[in-house]
Every structure is written in structure tokens, then in C-alpha cells.
Amino acid sequence: MAVRPPRPHPFDVRAALAGLLGGLLLWGIHLATRPAHDPIVLLDGRWWILLPLVVTAACEALRRTLPRTALLVGWAALTVDTITQGNLVTLVMFTDLVYAAVLYGPPTTARRVLWVSGVLTVVGTVVPVAIWQVPKAVLIGAVIGLVAFMPAATGWIVRNHRDAAEAARLHAEQTALLAEMDRAQAVVAERARMARELHDLVANHLSAIAIHSTAALSLDDPDTSRQALGVIRENSVEGLAEMRRLIGILRDTGGDKEPAAAPTLDGVGALVDGARTNGLDVILDADHGDSLPTPVGLAAYRIVQESLTNALKHACPGRVTVTLRQPNGSLHIAVTSPYGDRHGPSAPGSGAGLVGMRERAALLDGTFEAGPESAEHGKIWVVRACLPVAEGEPA
């Protein structure tokens, strides 16, 4: 497939037509830059003036699409114009070609044009003065500087400003993109945190309600049903209270209320008592420090809470053990429960609890594992977590 040549920019086409018409106007009124008897005029005759004018105007139309080619052809046209009577518009359009080559050309071309025009200006000033040794010889270098170096320097300055503006625009776009990515990550992290909190707050109570309601429906015993309804009511009230507290935290934007206290390991005893009320045989063996960092205490409380909830939903009849130890600057949590086929009412699980416990441990650079293990009296389900309690824990 043939490659189509680039189309000239509409502004460049209009500039070329304007230059051509202006040059023709000067040519028509016999206004040239040099008299016919000037020694430098080698091509005598008015018609020779039109050749470099037309070529330079054509190059002007390509100043943006082919800046390097336009400058080289324009340089040749200016050389021809120099040995004719000359046209001022041809000279002006050539200065624009120099400017466009530096502004729109490749970086290498821009640097070369700037250096070459600077060297020509210096040489055009020093050599005539050294040869003729008259002050008027300086005018040759001044003309070369006005025609070549000044447009090149102007194009270089404009190019630097344009590149700086483009770099600032790209930096602003990258900053906005990074800010949007940070915002999206913050939203995802906050949603995950709220999912963990909502699951830990409600799952325990709803699991107890589901199990005891199943037991009440399956047993035709008024005393058992009354006892199950009592447990259901207690867990419903506590679940509603926890849900209202969470909703209050989400809706409270005025800051005029005291924030609700985060659960700590001091509340594990109440968790164990609640689990016993729901029918679990739980033993608590706690030996840890009194001043744990708040994030560690909250994570440990939630891990124990979720472990007891899972034991209530899935464990076989038997003893559940909660062990808390703090050796070597780490809090070790272990919750064991009987493992096997459960006979009796149960509640379905989605696995979100294990995911939440693992996330809580990972956020504190801790470890977490859960799974069945062999024990002396059969298999047990073990939940183990190790949370660092060094100073400076993240909030």
C-alpha cells in the first residue's frame, strides 16, 4: 500500500498564498532589494526574481509537514534570489522557514539549524571586517543574524516553552491518574474493611438464631422451644444493636458524638459467655499483656469472635478451647473445636469469615492458618494467628 504524502496545514497554505501575492505585488511595482547595476546581480532581468519567489512560497506551504526539506530547498532558492535583483518577500518567507525548521523539525535538526546559523553569523561578521577593515562590513554579519540566527533562536525559545508546557500537561495527567488510582484503591480497601466489620458484627448472632430456630422447629418440646426462643431474642437484640452502631458510624458526619469504642481483648470473656449461652462448651485460657495496641486487640477480638461463630455453625459436639499467649513480642491466638460430620442443626457458611480473619492478620504483618488436624481423641479444627505487638502498630 502506497504511503500518502502529508497534507499541508491550512494555515501554511494561506501563508504561502499571502507571501506569493505580496511578492508579486512588489515585483509588479518594480520594488527590488538591489539595483540592476549591483555587482552581485548575476542574473539580470525582472523575470528571474519570480523563480526563487515561487519556490520559497511552495516551501512555505510545507513548513510544518516537511520542515527540514522546506528549509533546504528554501536555502537554495534564497541563494538564487541573492544573485538576482531580489524580492523582500522571498527573504521574509525564508526567515519563517528557519523558524519553522527549529520549531517543528526533529530535535537534531533544531539544534543543527541553531548552531549553523550562529556560526554563519559569527563568520559573516568576522571575515568581512578582517578583509575590508571598514565598520560597514559589520552589516553583513548583522543581516545574516537577522535572516538566519534570530529566527532560529526565536524558534528554539518557543520550542522549549512548548515542550515545557507539554511536560507539565503530561505530569498533570499522570498526577490525576495516580490520584484516581489511589482513590479507587482507598474505596476498595474501605469496602473490604466494612465487609469484614459487617460480617463479624452480625454473623455470630444470625448463626445462633438460625441454629436455635432449626432446633425449635425440629423438636416438639415446649421447654426446648421456649429456651430456643429466648436465645433467638437475645441474639436478635444484640445483632440489632451492633447493626445500629455500625449504621450510626457510617451516617455520623457532624462529629458531635463520641466515637464508639473499638472492641479489645478485654471483651473476649463476654464473647465466651455468649458462646456458652448459645450452647457451646468453651474454655478460655488467656495469658497476655494488659496494654496491647488497639489494632492488635481489635484484630484478635474479631478472630476469636469469628472462630467461635464457625464453631457454633460447623463444629461437632465437644469442647472448644480459646488460647491467648504473648511470648516474644507477639500475640498467639489458637481456637480449637471438634471436627467431623455434624449431627444436628447447622448454618450454611460462605467462607467470608476465613477470608476476613486472614486479611486482618495480613494487615498487621501477622500470620494466619486454619484447617483440620489430628488429635488424641480424633480430628479437630484449629485456627491459629500470630500478630506482632511491637510499638508503632498501624491504626
Side-chain angles (χ1 to χ4, degrees), residues 203-228:
N204 182 36
H205 302 296
L206 292 182
S207 299
I209 292 173
I211 292 173
H212 284 277
S213 61
T214 303
L217 291 173
S218 60
L219 298 176
D220 188 11
D221 185 356
D223 294 335
T224 302
S225 299
R226 182 178 296 275
Q227 183 181 1

Side-chain angles (χ1 to χ4, degrees), residues 120-126 128 136-147 149:
L120 288 178
T121 301
V122 173
V123 172
T125 302
V126 174
K136 293 182 179 180
V138 180
L139 295 177
I140 298 178
V143 172
I144 296 177
L146 290 174
V147 173
F149 181 72

Side-chain angles (χ1 to χ4, degrees), residues 290-362:
D290 296 331
S291 58
L292 290 173
T294 301
V296 176
L298 175 60
Y301 179 91
R302 295 303 188 195
I303 290 174
V304 173
Q305 183 185 41
E306 181 59 26
S307 299
L308 293 177
T309 301
N310 289 340
L312 177 65
K313 293 192 295 184
H314 307 296
C316 297
R319 176 160 294 177
V320 179
T321 304
V322 179
T323 305
L324 300 174
R325 293 286 185 272
Q326 189 178 345
N328 302 324
S330 297
L331 178 64
H332 292 263
I333 306 168
V335 181
T336 63
S337 58
Y339 179 75
D341 294 332
R342 179 187 178 105
H343 300 286
S346 62
S350 62
L354 293 177
V355 174
M357 289 189 287
R358 183 173 288 106
E359 289 178 350
R360 290 185 184 277

Side-chain angles (χ1 to χ4, degrees), residues 225-246:
S225 299
R226 182 178 296 275
Q227 183 181 1
L229 289 175
V231 175
I232 290 173
R233 182 185 184 283
E234 180 181 351
N235 282 277
S236 300
V237 172
E238 292 180 359
L240 286 174
E242 294 284 0
M243 182 65 72
R244 289 192 184 103
R245 185 179 72 84
L246 181 59

